[in-house]
Each structure stands twice: as structure tokens, then as C-alpha cells.
């Protein structure tokens, strides 16, 4: 009805939704996108922190038994982070792959006496 009267009066409106209603929809979408990007940033920060922990834990060890323990300990921490929802299952798998690649490399060098 509002558009019909506007057409008769020569003030045709292109939409019928008032701005105050549209504004809240746009704001909610922006808040959702902001929260989503904030979560992505938090996950990336957590992944970087875990990678630093991998380097730190595998960097200073006294024996191969301690190296084995530290690798298992970090693996457990990675699983805990995923269970808490701080990282995604995809990142969990990649972090464990990185951890054990470094672990196998160090273990191979140690067993050869380097």
C-alpha cells in the first residue's frame, strides 16, 4: 500500500524495509563476522603457541628417554587443546605430524651419534 501511494504521488520508493530494521540486520551480520574472525585469530595464535612449545620441548633434552617423554607430553597437550575447542581437528593432525617429523629427525640423528 505504501509503495502504491508513493507511486501515485511520484515519490516511488525502491524498498519497503525501514532503515532502522535493516540497520540491525547489518549490524548483527557484522558482529557475527567479527566474532568469527576473532575466533580464527585465536586459533592461529594457539597454533603458533603450540609450534613454539614443540620447538622448546624438543630443543633441550638430556636423553632419548626424555625426548620420548617430551614428545608424548606435547602430543597430549595438543589433544587437550583440540578437546577444549581451541584448535580444529585439522590443525591437531598437522601439529602432530610436525611434532613427530621433528621427533623422528632428532631421534635418527641421536641414534647415529651426531
Amino acid at each position: 500500500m505504501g509503495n502504491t501511494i508513493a507511486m501515485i504521488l511520484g515519490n516511488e520508493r525502491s524498498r519497503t524495509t525501514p532503515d532502522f530494521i535493516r540497520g540491525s540486520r547489518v549490524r548483527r551480520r557484522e558482529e557475527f563476522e567479527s566474532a568469527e574472525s576473532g575466533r580464527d585469530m585465536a586459533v592461529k595464535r594457539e597454533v603458533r603457541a603450540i609450534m613454539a612449545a614443540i620447538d622448546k620441548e624438543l630443543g633441550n633434552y638430556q636423553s632419548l628417554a626424555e625426548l620420548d617423554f617430551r614428545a608424548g607430553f606435547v602430543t597430549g597437550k595438543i589433544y587437550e587443546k583440540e578437546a577444549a575447542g581451541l584448535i580444529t581437528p585439522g590443525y591437531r593432525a598437522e601439529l602432530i605430524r610436525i611434532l613427530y617429523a621433528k621427533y623422528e629427525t632428532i631421534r635418527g640423528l641421536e641414534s647415529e651419534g651426531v
Side-chain angles (χ1 to χ4, degrees):
M1 173 95 177
N3 277 342
T4 308
I5 295 172
M7 286 174 43
I8 294 170
L9 296 175
N11 300 344
E12 184 175 357
R13 297 184 301 191
S14 61
R15 63 179 191 266
T16 59
T17 307
D19 287 335
F20 69 90
I21 294 174
R22 279 180 42 113
S24 67
R25 288 182 192 158
V26 170
R27 192 172 344 123
R28 274 189 249 137
R29 185 176 339 119
E30 289 172 355
E31 289 171 1
F32 178 73
E33 290 171 356
S34 175
E36 200 171 88
S37 66
R39 171 144 169 57
D40 290 343
M41 293 300 292
V43 168
K44 287 179 183 178
R45 265 194 311 270
E46 197 65 39
V47 168
R48 286 188 188 115
I50 294 170
M51 289 180 69
I54 290 170
D55 291 339
K56 179 183 170 195
E57 291 294 328
L58 295 184
N60 52 1
Y61 60 92
Q62 302 299 321
S63 65
L64 288 178
E66 185 181 358
L67 178 67
D68 296 341
F69 174 79
R70 287 177 182 239
F73 177 76
V74 174
T75 302
K77 286 295 195 183
I78 292 170
Y79 277 107
E80 286 177 4
K81 299 286 184 177
E82 189 228 348
L86 299 175
I87 61 173
T88 63
Y91 280 128
R92 176 195 41 89
E94 286 298 311
L95 287 168
I96 290 175
R97 186 186 61 76
I98 291 168
L99 169 68
Y100 280 102
K102 288 183 178 188
Y103 166 75
E104 289 295 329
T105 302
I106 292 170
R107 189 152 174 84
L109 291 172
E110 286 291 324
S111 66
E112 292 176 6
V114 176

